Structure formats: structure tokens, C-alpha cells
Amino acid sequence: MDWQVLVSALALVFVIEGIIPFANPSRWRRLVATIAEVPDQHLRMMGAISMLIGLIILYLVRS
């Protein structure tokens, strides 16, 4: 396993996650408040779909 690739991917996650709060903090705050009201089951489903999309993209890129 190439640890440099893993750490680089993690670093990119932090960069991407930081774009919205940096660019528009008030909108990000409203978004977080809205997400806090979503039921756990829906959040779990959104997480599963997000992981599935990520795996598909990773498969397509690495093939």
C-alpha cells in the first residue's frame, strides 16, 4: 500500500470539506443546522449512497 497516496487523498478531503465554510460561513452554518434535523436513518442512507458513488468513481478511475 502506498501511504503517500492515502495521505494525499485524506488531505484532499480536508481541502474539499473546507471550501464551503471558507467561502460562505453563514450558509454553511444554516446547512449544518438543517442536517442536524434530518433523521438518523436518512443520514445513514445518504452516507451509504455517498460511499457507493465514491467506490464506483474509484473503480472507474483505477480500471
Side-chain angles (χ1 to χ4, degrees):
M1 174 175 220
D2 190 358
W3 287 100
Q4 185 177 9
V5 172
L6 181 63
V7 173
S8 296
L10 184 60
L12 283 174
V13 168
F14 279 108
V15 170
I16 292 168
E17 289 288 329
I19 290 173
I20 295 174
F22 175 78
N24 197 342
S26 61
R27 184 170 183 179
W28 181 78
R29 190 175 287 115
R30 288 192 310 268
L31 177 65
V32 171
T34 302
I35 291 173
E37 297 175 4
V38 175
D40 289 348
Q41 186 176 9
H42 289 117
L43 288 174
R44 230 177 236 116
M45 183 59 66
M46 289 188 308
I49 291 169
S50 177
M51 288 188 296
L52 183 61
I53 291 170
L55 286 172
I56 291 169
I57 292 170
L58 186 61
Y59 174 77
L60 293 172
V61 168
R62 304 282 293 183
S63 302

